[in-house]
Amino acid sequence: MFNRPFQIIIIELRNLQKTILGLFFSFVFPLLAMYFTMNAVPIEQRMEAIQIYFPISLALGIAPLALLTFPASISKEYEAGVFLRYKLFDISLVMVIASKVTLYFFLMIIQIILISMFAIFVFHLTFPSFAISSMFFLLYIISSFPMFLIGSIITIITKNNVMVQSIGLTIMFLFLILSNAMMPVGNLPSWIEKLKFIIPTNDIIQYYTSYWNGDKINVLFFVLKYFIYTMFLLLVMKACINKAEL
């Protein structure tokens, strides 16, 4: 009964209840942040403000989903011996990982829809043209892949759920703070400014927001950047798996 990917996804769905903190930050926190931020803006300026804040809300959602909820779900299963049971039932580890990635891809889509609907119905968000909207969400999705891989690498290295959540929370807040998602950050040392190049949320907030609002960006550059970034992290993850003998 365990040799079907769909059934593994069902198991993963049941295990989501064990990552309540991550789910709160992934799905509730972005909506609360949007609500209080927009209500602090004068009514006559909210239509314009939501166009700028919408991509920030997406960044506030994907960071905890990829860096907290996703790795925490893996580490909890590892500690509970779920992966050992998968091996006993001769279930391919590749199938397990593929099923988990599929599940979290759908969770990411649900998150996008939830944040979008909230912004549309509560603050009257308007989408740009179909071409810009489609490319924006495509860039957003491919920029999210490295964060999921970083979360996976954290889990593979530590294997301890408490450490995974602590490290995941730290990296998540560093990503968001350095991206100006939570507060304006200026006059940073040059090496920190250079570090922003590898922070996906910085691109989402600084560049994709401009693209969403009509400015031009080099789309091909970001596609190639995240393709190379993803391939590099996949190699790192493979090396970590081999070293950890998973």
Side-chain angles (χ1 to χ4, degrees), residues 26-28 31 109-119:
S26 301
F27 292 93
V28 180
L31 302 183
I109 298 301
I110 291 172
Q111 183 188 73
I112 291 172
I113 294 172
L114 181 64
I115 294 174
S116 298
M117 291 299 99
F118 187 80

Side-chain angles (χ1 to χ4, degrees), residues 153-167:
I153 292 168
I154 293 170
T155 306
I156 293 166
I157 292 174
T158 64
K159 302 188 188 72
N160 180 282
N161 184 58
V162 175
M163 288 187 64
V164 166
Q165 293 197 57
S166 299
I167 296 172

Side-chain angles (χ1 to χ4, degrees), residues 30-31 33-34 50 53-62 111 115 140:
L31 302 183
M34 182 190 295
I50 191 61
Y53 192 79
F54 173 65
I56 298 176
S57 294
L58 292 176
L60 289 174
I62 194 59
Q111 183 188 73
I115 294 174
Y140 172 77

Side-chain angles (χ1 to χ4, degrees), residues 13-28:
L13 279 171
R14 292 171 180 169
N15 288 332
L16 282 177
Q17 62 182 323
K18 300 177 183 178
T19 55
I20 298 299
L21 177 64
L23 289 174
F24 170 82
F25 276 110
S26 301
F27 292 93
V28 180

Side-chain angles (χ1 to χ4, degrees), residues 144-158:
S144 303
F145 290 158
M147 288 191 283
F148 281 102
L149 292 174
I150 291 170
S152 301
I153 292 168
I154 293 170
T155 306
I156 293 166
I157 292 174
T158 64

